[in-house]
Amino acid sequence: MDLVHQTSSVRFFADYERSIGNYLVDADGNRLLDMYMQVSSLCLGYNHPDLVEAISDPRFITAAVSRPALGSFPRTDFADILKKSLISIAPKGLSAVQTMMCGSSSNEHALKTAFMWYQAQKRGGPPTTKYLESSMRHELPGTPNVTVLSFEGAFHGRTLAMLSTTRSKPIHKVDLPAFQWPVAKFPRYKYPLSENVEYNKKEDDDCLAMVESIIKKQKKAKRDVAALIVEPIQSEGGDHHGSAAFFQGLRDITKKHGVVFIVDEVQTGGGGTGSFWAHDTWNLQSPPDIVTFSKKYMTGGYFYADHLRIKEPYRIYNTWMGEPTKVILLEKAIEVIKRDNLLKNVRNIGEELQKGLRDLEQKYSSKMHNVRGLASFCAFDIRNASKRDEFLAKALSKGLNLGGCGDAAIRFRPALIFGKKHLEIALDILDKSMKDL
Amino acid sequence: MDLVHQTSSVRFFADYERSIGNYLVDADGNRLLDMYMQVSSLCLGYNHPDLVEAISDPRFITAAVSRPALGSFPRTDFADILKKSLISIAPKGLSAVQTMMCGSSSNEHALKTAFMWYQAQKRGGPPTTKYLESSMRHELPGTPNVTVLSFEGAFHGRTLAMLSTTRSKPIHKVDLPAFQWPVAKFPRYKYPLSENVEYNKKEDDDCLAMVESIIKKQKKAKRDVAALIVEPIQSEGGDHHGSAAFFQGLRDITKKHGVVFIVDEVQTGGGGTGSFWAHDTWNLQSPPDIVTFSKKYMTGGYFYADHLRIKEPYRIYNTWMGEPTKVILLEKAIEVIKRDNLLKNVRNIGEELQKGLRDLEQKYSSKMHNVRGLASFCAFDIRNASKRDEFLAKALSKGLNLGGCGDAAIRFRPALIFGKKHLEIALDILDKSMKDL
């Protein structure tokens, strides 16, 4: 394998034909309970029968072998497919969607949309000749010094621009040129939340003050913050949560300063938090300007507010502009999620998972801490990275596949079909692995 | 449709279920001979029976509904799938491949590979703590001022970094921040080539001199050119060709200065030039360092020379790292291309298409000029953009779908199954449309 493909990050090879539901079978035939689900990217587990059936949908077959350039020659039924899938679960207040293929390209095009809108506002209309010409030389005013504000610990993708907003780990960033874009602190809470209310509120306040101060400073330096991008839960960076009050504050500050508020739900979207969108729990007075997604939604893309629609052709464009087969599969997945009440299942199981983890935290208080989660989107911390990796290996050897993130966190990303019997098995393996550690 | 998706660039809606072979059926039931093939992205036309059959391949079904995170948990058979598909058509001298999902992400990761390698050479090893730490602050030495050299008229994708190398049209670039990377002139030949040998040779020489001078100047300014990226035929930019001598010169200069030589075959790869790779015609003494691809190959990705392999895990990585269903379809497509001798067909048809276009050029010498092509990858110019668009509309109304590119070019991107009878129909419509113009 190494002869033909990059393999240094491979954990194990898997037999996907024999994998089913919550169980992933490795190359040696070991059946593993999977709470990582391909880096949080499978909503219905392995080989779900309804999805298998959707493969023989004539629309799927045609879209797979006669793939359209959606920006130029869309399928006659594409609006219908979108209505039955993405539009049916659109975040409150946002009704337009643009499909893309992965998380990075979704975030890239969200940023592009924000920059184009910001410049149009500033100019008072579409780009004039002066702007068009200077952009070909990468000079002002056509190539603006606009910036995007992101957070310490953030992960927004691995293209060069998204890496400029990603601040989780140096191994992603080192040796690569970057845009000089500003960065703010993201809250780091103490757990349990109920015992650290004051400390955590101060975290929120400090971070919000820093955000507003950066926006002002950048404007003064003529390096305006056109957009702010943030994850509801910083996942790759270590499962760091922000409170509803923190995000309400971000919405207020961005609105006040005319900054496009982008919520990156690439990892949190798709039901794991007990809702289609993690930001549903924030009770915002007005919706985010853009919400990006990928992973569990199979197709990438972003929802955006009406005022952000770019009217000139070929500005938000590329050959494929997404992948209709993924949207057709998603249509079926959403049908299944609704039919089988899977979001309710996730909320119930999530509550029990969190309770189980807290019990373990009490039992092994010197070894694990900071149990946290939103429904089944859970995590806890271990002393350091090497102990964490040791724990991951122990759990794997006992039949449980988990993910790591951040410095020393274990993250849980079960499929939406994860049930009671799976939870029992998982908690038992966690207990034994922790005892061994 | 406009309520839910960006539509300003839509030319028409299409009925893909009723489209077959070289014919695309529009929403009104009109049957159009298609020589544009979804912006050059379908190698076997519409609903090819062998590809339809491949959809029921159990490997395809599993890969579609249980999509692996290829960098962490690859399919046990993935090396085998790659060997039967991409590796079987690897460019001469390159045997390692990394799959990605689209042209932009392929080029992004090719650049990242180049930057990582360049910095490792300079440093004499993997990144040390000093590099890792400073990269988190976007400071030297971890965040280097390295650059990539591209060409006027180039198109390498639409993420922000790739747009910094794209120099085809301002509408793609305006209002977006850019990396300050250098740009060189790309030859602009006079046609017919046989009557302009001296002029065209001077074009080559001037452009090569400029490339070398920029590389030296950038080094002096401590903004080293780590990579040079170039298309064999600048497609979006207007179907501008470079000679074998020009590309041999680029290979020599990049080798001399330790610059990674990246050939972007996103549009030219896939058989339209009569070969799997357009750069096969250059007779290079040593292969390019990286060759990127997407479009007709269905999966994106890049081939790279052994010395460019990045050994540290998670540096060239993302959740999906490509899309196995596309590679499984490609395996079948390559089987068909070989079985049906389609590259030979493309060379034969291409010769006749070029002859037919030259005949039309003689007949309508005041209206069309600069007929050029490599096999069926052809183009000609019309007086200006509005006349060109008028011509495209006329041909479409008579049943022929073509693409435009650059300022005033018409581009031909037929599928590999385009045959003699289709050529007769196409030339007849071209003749009538030109007469009407």
Side-chain angles (χ1 to χ4, degrees):
Chain A
M1 178 75 173
D2 207 41
L3 286 171
V4 293
H5 219 245
Q6 197 79 28
T7 55
S8 52
S9 57
V10 168
R11 289 179 53 197
F12 56 83
F13 286 80
D15 185 341
Y16 287 91
E17 270 68 29
R18 293 173 61 199
S19 302
I20 187 116
N22 292 284
Y23 290 94
L24 176 62
V25 175
D26 75 8
D28 301 325
N30 299 305
R31 195 163 156 269
L32 305 160
L33 182 59
D34 193 358
M35 295 185 82
Y36 193 37
M37 281 292 154
Q38 308 302 316
V39 198
S40 193
S41 70
L42 292 180
C43 60
L44 297 179
Y46 298 102
N47 292 316
H48 194 285
D50 287 284
L51 293 185
V52 170
E53 205 185 289
I55 302 290
S56 44
D57 181 333
R59 299 175 307 162
F60 180 95
I61 298 172
T62 313
V65 303
S66 307
R67 185 172 183 181
L70 285 172
S72 293
F73 312 100
R75 294 174 58 91
T76 49
D77 59 1
F78 194 59
D80 180 60
I81 294 170
L82 286 175
K83 274 179 200 153
K84 286 182 180 148
S85 56
L86 289 163
I87 297 296
S88 81
I89 55 161
K92 211 177 131 190
L94 302 179
S95 58
V97 73
Q98 177 61 56
T99 55
M100 287 287 155
M101 280 168 70
C102 69
S104 287
S105 61
S106 304
N107 283 336
E108 286 264 356
H109 284 83
L111 287 196
K112 285 173 65 175
T113 299
F115 290 139
M116 288 173 188
W117 174 81
Y118 192 87
Q119 290 299 96
Q121 292 304 105
K122 215 168 158 178
R123 192 171 38 226
T128 56
T129 308
K130 188 173 70 171
Y131 282 80
L132 292 167
E133 282 177 1
S134 55
S135 77
M136 291 300 281
R137 301 186 302 271
H138 291 187
E139 286 171 7
L140 289 170
T143 301
N145 284 325
V146 285
T147 66
V148 51
L149 178 57
S150 65
F151 291 90
E152 284 177 16
F155 184 90
H156 300 293
R158 292 174 180 268
T159 52
L160 289 173
M162 294 329 301
L163 279 172
S164 303
T165 68
T166 286
R167 309 275 183 161
S168 56
K169 290 172 196 154
I171 198 67
H172 309 325
K173 296 171 71 74
V174 68
D175 291 343
L176 302 174
F179 285 106
Q180 292 296 349
W181 291 340
V183 60
K185 279 187 189 301
F186 191 87
R188 290 290 180 264
Y189 298 140
K190 285 190 178 168
Y191 291 87
L193 294 175
S194 57
E195 293 171 23
N196 295 280
V197 174
E198 210 167 322
Y199 179 93
N200 293 340
K201 183 173 182 314
K202 191 169 177 319
E203 276 291 291
D204 283 351
D205 292 344
D206 288 353
C207 293
L208 289 171
M210 188 176 182
V211 164
E212 185 153 26
S213 142
I214 288 172
I215 291 172
K216 286 180 183 168
K217 213 160 56 184
Q218 290 286 125
K219 193 149 206 166
K220 220 174 250 173
K222 294 192 192 274
R223 297 182 52 79
D224 297 21
V225 174
L228 177 149
I229 186 165
V230 68
E231 299 153 275
I233 300 166
Q234 290 189 332
S235 304
E236 229 287 302
D239 266 37
H240 300 295
H241 290 241
S243 70
F246 172 67
F247 290 110
Q248 285 161 13
L250 288 182
R251 171 69 287 190
D252 291 345
I253 292 168
T254 50
K255 186 151 258 194
K256 179 175 159 195
H257 293 279
V259 171
V260 177
F261 183 36
I262 304 174
V263 178
D264 175 346
E265 294 238 27
V266 168
Q267 184 144 171
T268 49
T273 66
S275 168
F276 281 114
W277 306 102
H279 79 266
D280 284 344
T281 57
W282 301 345
N283 295 314
L284 294 180
Q285 295 252 320
S286 63
D289 296 307
I290 300 182
V291 175
T292 65
F293 58 87
S294 183
K295 287 189 178 259
K296 282 201 182 66
Y297 285 130
M298 300 185 261
T299 175
Y302 58 98
F303 289 91
Y304 59 96
D306 276 347
H307 66 273
L308 290 173
R309 182 181 300 274
I310 307 299
K311 293 192 182 72
E312 300 87 6
Y314 301 109
R315 298 191 72 187
I316 296 294
Y317 183 87
N318 58 50
T319 295
W320 285 321
M321 299 196 90
E323 161 58 293
T325 61
K326 305 294 179 195
V327 192
I328 291 165
L329 283 181
L330 175 63
E331 182 188 313
K332 175 58 78 176
I334 291 172
E335 192 188 308
V336 171
I337 292 170
K338 291 177 178 171
R339 180 194 73 197
D340 296 350
N341 252 317
L342 293 181
L343 295 185
K344 196 175 165 211
N345 175 61
V346 169
R347 288 191 294 269
N348 292 341
I349 281 291
E351 203 172 306
E352 292 184 46
L353 171 58
Q354 288 186 44
K355 190 188 166 303
L357 293 176
R358 276 194 208 95
D359 290 347
L360 288 171
E361 188 178 21
Q362 286 215 314
K363 188 168 170 187
Y364 301 105
S365 59
S366 67
K367 294 184 182 176
M368 63 180 276
H369 39 275
N370 299 340
V371 167
R372 57 202 181 272
L374 193 54
S376 71
F377 199 101
C378 295
F380 64 82
D381 295 331
I382 290 184
R383 204 173 324 136
N384 56 42
S386 80
K387 277 282 164 200
R388 185 263 316 273
D389 294 344
E390 199 186 315
F391 183 82
L392 284 175
K394 278 189 198 301
L396 188 65
S397 74
K398 294 183 199 329
L400 180 63
N401 190 37
L402 293 166
C405 61
D407 294 330
I410 298 284
R411 59 176 152 173
F412 295 82
R413 299 291 185 269
L416 311 185
I417 55 166
F418 194 84
K420 274 199 183 233
K421 62 177 178 188
H422 310 112
L423 183 61
E424 274 169 36
I425 298 166
L427 289 172
D428 182 55
I429 295 176
L430 289 170
D431 192 340
K432 286 177 179 149
S433 306
M434 201 51 85
K435 188 183 280 173
D436 277 11
L437 194 69
Chain B
M1 179 74 174
D2 207 41
L3 285 171
V4 292
H5 219 246
Q6 197 79 29
T7 54
S8 52
S9 56
V10 169
R11 288 179 55 196
F12 56 83
F13 286 81
D15 185 342
Y16 287 91
E17 271 68 29
R18 293 173 63 200
S19 302
I20 188 117
N22 292 284
Y23 291 93
L24 176 62
V25 174
D26 75 10
D28 301 326
N30 298 305
R31 196 164 158 269
L32 304 160
L33 182 60
D34 193 358
M35 295 185 82
Y36 193 37
M37 282 290 154
Q38 307 302 315
V39 197
S40 194
S41 70
L42 293 179
C43 61
L44 296 180
Y46 298 102
N47 293 314
H48 193 284
D50 287 284
L51 294 186
V52 170
E53 205 185 288
I55 302 290
S56 45
D57 181 333
R59 300 176 305 163
F60 180 95
I61 296 172
T62 313
V65 303
S66 307
R67 186 173 182 180
L70 285 172
S72 293
F73 312 99
R75 295 174 58 90
T76 49
D77 60 0
F78 194 59
D80 180 61
I81 293 171
L82 285 175
K83 274 179 201 153
K84 285 181 181 146
S85 55
L86 288 163
I87 297 297
S88 81
I89 55 161
K92 211 176 132 190
L94 303 179
S95 58
V97 73
Q98 178 60 57
T99 54
M100 288 286 155
M101 279 168 70
C102 69
S104 286
S105 61
S106 304
N107 284 336
E108 286 264 355
H109 285 83
L111 286 196
K112 285 173 66 174
T113 300
F115 290 138
M116 288 173 188
W117 175 82
Y118 192 87
Q119 290 299 98
Q121 292 303 105
K122 215 168 158 179
R123 190 171 42 225
T128 57
T129 309
K130 187 173 70 171
Y131 282 80
L132 292 167
E133 282 177 0
S134 55
S135 77
M136 291 300 281
R137 299 186 303 270
H138 291 188
E139 286 171 8
L140 289 169
T143 301
N145 284 324
V146 284
T147 66
V148 51
L149 178 56
S150 65
F151 291 90
E152 285 179 13
F155 184 90
H156 300 293
R158 291 173 181 270
T159 52
L160 288 174
M162 295 328 302
L163 279 173
S164 302
T165 68
T166 286
R167 308 274 184 162
S168 57
K169 290 173 197 155
I171 198 65
H172 309 325
K173 295 171 73 74
V174 68
D175 291 343
L176 302 174
F179 285 106
Q180 291 295 348
W181 291 341
V183 59
K185 279 186 188 300
F186 191 86
R188 291 291 181 263
Y189 298 140
K190 284 190 177 167
Y191 291 87
L193 294 174
S194 58
E195 292 170 24
N196 294 280
V197 174
E198 210 167 321
Y199 179 93
N200 293 340
K201 182 170 185 316
K202 190 168 176 321
E203 276 291 291
D204 284 351
D205 293 344
D206 288 353
C207 294
L208 289 171
M210 188 175 182
V211 165
E212 186 153 26
S213 140
I214 288 171
I215 292 172
K216 287 180 182 167
K217 214 159 56 183
Q218 291 286 125
K219 194 149 207 165
K220 220 172 251 173
K222 292 192 193 277
R223 297 181 52 80
D224 297 20
V225 174
L228 177 148
I229 186 164
V230 68
E231 297 154 277
I233 300 166
Q234 289 189 332
S235 303
E236 229 286 301
D239 267 37
H240 300 296
H241 290 242
S243 70
F246 172 68
F247 290 109
Q248 286 161 12
L250 288 182
R251 171 70 286 191
D252 292 345
I253 292 168
T254 50
K255 186 149 258 194
K256 180 174 159 196
H257 293 280
V259 171
V260 177
F261 183 37
I262 304 174
V263 178
D264 175 345
E265 293 239 25
V266 168
Q267 184 143 172
T268 49
T273 66
S275 170
F276 281 113
W277 306 102
H279 78 266
D280 285 344
T281 56
W282 302 345
N283 295 312
L284 294 180
Q285 296 253 320
S286 63
D289 296 308
I290 300 183
V291 174
T292 66
F293 57 87
S294 184
K295 288 192 178 254
K296 283 201 182 66
Y297 285 130
M298 299 185 261
T299 174
Y302 57 98
F303 289 91
Y304 58 97
D306 276 347
H307 66 273
L308 291 172
R309 182 181 301 274
I310 307 299
K311 292 191 183 73
E312 300 88 5
Y314 301 108
R315 298 192 72 188
I316 297 293
Y317 182 87
N318 58 51
T319 296
W320 285 321
M321 299 196 88
E323 161 57 292
T325 61
K326 305 295 179 192
V327 192
I328 291 164
L329 283 182
L330 175 63
E331 183 189 313
K332 176 59 79 177
I334 290 172
E335 192 188 309
V336 171
I337 292 169
K338 290 177 178 171
R339 180 194 73 197
D340 296 349
N341 251 316
L342 292 181
L343 295 184
K344 197 175 162 210
N345 175 62
V346 169
R347 289 192 293 270
N348 292 341
I349 282 291
E351 203 172 308
E352 290 183 48
L353 170 58
Q354 288 186 43
K355 190 188 164 301
L357 293 177
R358 277 196 208 94
D359 290 346
L360 288 172
E361 188 178 22
Q362 285 217 313
K363 190 166 168 187
Y364 301 103
S365 60
S366 68
K367 295 184 182 176
M368 64 181 276
H369 39 275
N370 299 340
V371 167
R372 55 201 182 272
L374 193 54
S376 70
F377 200 101
C378 296
F380 65 82
D381 296 331
I382 290 184
R383 206 173 323 137
N384 56 43
S386 81
K387 278 282 164 198
R388 185 265 314 276
D389 293 345
E390 199 185 316
F391 183 82
L392 285 175
K394 278 189 197 302
L396 189 64
S397 73
K398 295 182 199 327
L400 180 63
N401 190 36
L402 292 166
C405 61
D407 294 329
I410 297 285
R411 59 176 153 173
F412 295 82
R413 298 292 185 269
L416 311 186
I417 55 166
F418 194 83
K420 274 200 183 230
K421 63 177 179 189
H422 311 111
L423 183 61
E424 273 170 35
I425 298 165
L427 288 172
D428 182 55
I429 294 176
L430 290 170
D431 192 340
K432 286 178 178 146
S433 305
M434 201 51 85
K435 188 185 279 173
D436 276 12
L437 195 69

